[in-house]
Amino acid sequence: MTTLLQINASINDDNGQSSQLANQFVAAFRTRYPDAKIVVRNVATAEPVPHLNAERFGAFITKAEERSVEQHAVVAYSDRLIDELKKADVIVLGLPMYNFGVPSQLKAYFDHVARAGVTFTYTDKGPAGQLTGKKVYVFAARGTLVGVREGSRGPRIHTPSCRFLGMADVEFVYAEGLAISPQSKEEGLAKAVAEIARLAA
Ligand SMILES: Cc1cc2nc3c(=O)[nH]c(=O)nc-3n(C[C@H](O)[C@H](O)[C@H](O)COP(=O)(O)O)c2cc1C
C-alpha cells in the first residue's frame, strides 16, 4: 500500500495557498489511489516543531545508553518524525515563502529529521542522504514573482532539505505573484492548478 505524507507549513493552516494547493493534489491522488494511506502533519499550526537548541542537539549526539530521561524524550520525538518520513513513499510539501525563506517551523522540522548517522552520513563527497526512493511534490506559494524574474525555478530560495536527505526526485509546483494584484494572484493560482491537473492525470 502506498503511503503519502503531507506536510503543510503555512501559518494560515488550511487557508494557506500552499496548503490549499497541496490539498488539491492530495485529493486527486486519493481519487487515483483510493487504497493509499494519507498522513497529514502541519508543522506550523497543529503540531509545531520546537526549534533546535543546544540541549536538543546534545540529545541527538549523546550515546543512547548515556542519555537522560529528557534526552530520551527528545530523541524519541525526532525518531517518530523520521519513522513517519521513512514509511512514506510520496511526500507532499505545502511550502509558503516567508521573508525570503522557508517557514521557520519547517526549518525546525528539518532540523529534527536531519540526523547524522540516522538520515544522512558524512562522506568525503559531502552528505549522503538515506531517505532515498521517495517522490516529493512541493507546492510553493509566494507573493512576488521572484523565481520567474531571477530565472531560477527554486532550489536556491525555496528548496528545503529534501535533496540533502536523499530525496532527489523533487517536483515543484509554483503559485507566484499572489500578493501583487488580484489579477496576478488569479493567474498564479490558475497556473498552479493546471500543473496539479497535469500531475494528477
Ligand atoms: C510574514 C510573511 C512574509 C512574507 N514574505 C514574503 C517574501 O519574502 N517573498 C514573497 O514573495 N512573498 C512573501 N510573502 C507572501 C507569501 O509568500 C504568500 O502570502 C503565500 O501565499 C504564503 O503562503 P501561504 O498562503 O500558504 O501561507 C510573505 C507573507 C507573509 C505572511
Side-chain angles (χ1 to χ4, degrees):
M1 184 179 61
T2 302
T3 298
L4 181 153
L5 171 62
Q6 179 181 1
I7 303 169
N8 286 346
S10 172
I11 56 174
N12 301 307
D13 209 348
D14 269 348
N15 292 323
Q17 299 294 348
S18 59
S19 314
Q20 289 185 29
L21 294 169
N23 287 347
Q24 278 184 41
F25 176 81
V26 172
F29 189 91
R30 204 191 289 270
T31 303
R32 189 161 172 188
Y33 303 102
D35 294 336
K37 182 179 177 192
I38 312 281
V39 178
V40 182
R41 173 170 292 279
N42 194 322
V43 297
T45 53
E47 298 164 286
V49 179
H51 282 117
L52 191 63
N53 57 20
E55 283 74 34
R56 299 183 79 80
F57 183 68
F60 295 163
I61 58 173
T62 301
K63 285 184 187 150
E65 61 274 17
E66 292 170 11
R67 284 177 191 144
S68 66
V69 173
E70 292 76 18
Q71 287 178 320
H72 274 298
V74 170
V75 174
Y77 173 75
S78 162
D79 284 347
R80 275 199 300 279
L81 296 180
I82 290 170
D83 191 50
E84 191 176 70
L85 257 182
K86 278 186 175 164
K87 284 184 177 145
D89 308 290
V90 178
I91 292 154
V92 170
L93 184 54
L95 182 62
M97 174 184 275
Y98 297 140
N99 298 314
F100 292 95
V102 302
S104 58
Q105 296 93 338
L106 186 66
K107 176 68 168 64
Y109 172 83
F110 277 103
D111 285 342
H112 278 77
V113 296
R115 281 180 40 207
V118 182
T119 50
F120 74 95
T121 49
Y122 288 109
T123 75
D124 54 2
K125 294 185 184 68
Q130 307 294 301
L131 302 177
T132 53
K134 301 179 190 304
K135 176 80 192 183
V136 182
Y137 296 94
V138 179
F139 297 89
R142 49 172 80 145
T144 63
L145 293 167
V146 66
V148 172
R149 285 200 183 136
E150 291 186 358
S152 148
R153 294 306 295 177
R156 236 167 1 110
I157 292 174
H158 241 150
T159 306
S161 312
C162 297
R163 289 191 174 97
F164 158 61
L165 294 177
M167 297 181 272
D169 189 357
V170 185
E171 190 137 7
F172 282 83
V173 172
Y174 290 94
E176 297 176 305
L178 303 186
I180 295 175
S181 67
Q183 190 195 344
S184 165
K185 180 176 180 178
E186 202 177 304
E187 284 170 10
L189 290 175
K191 265 169 93 173
V193 168
E195 192 65 6
I196 289 171
R198 186 188 68 77
L199 288 175

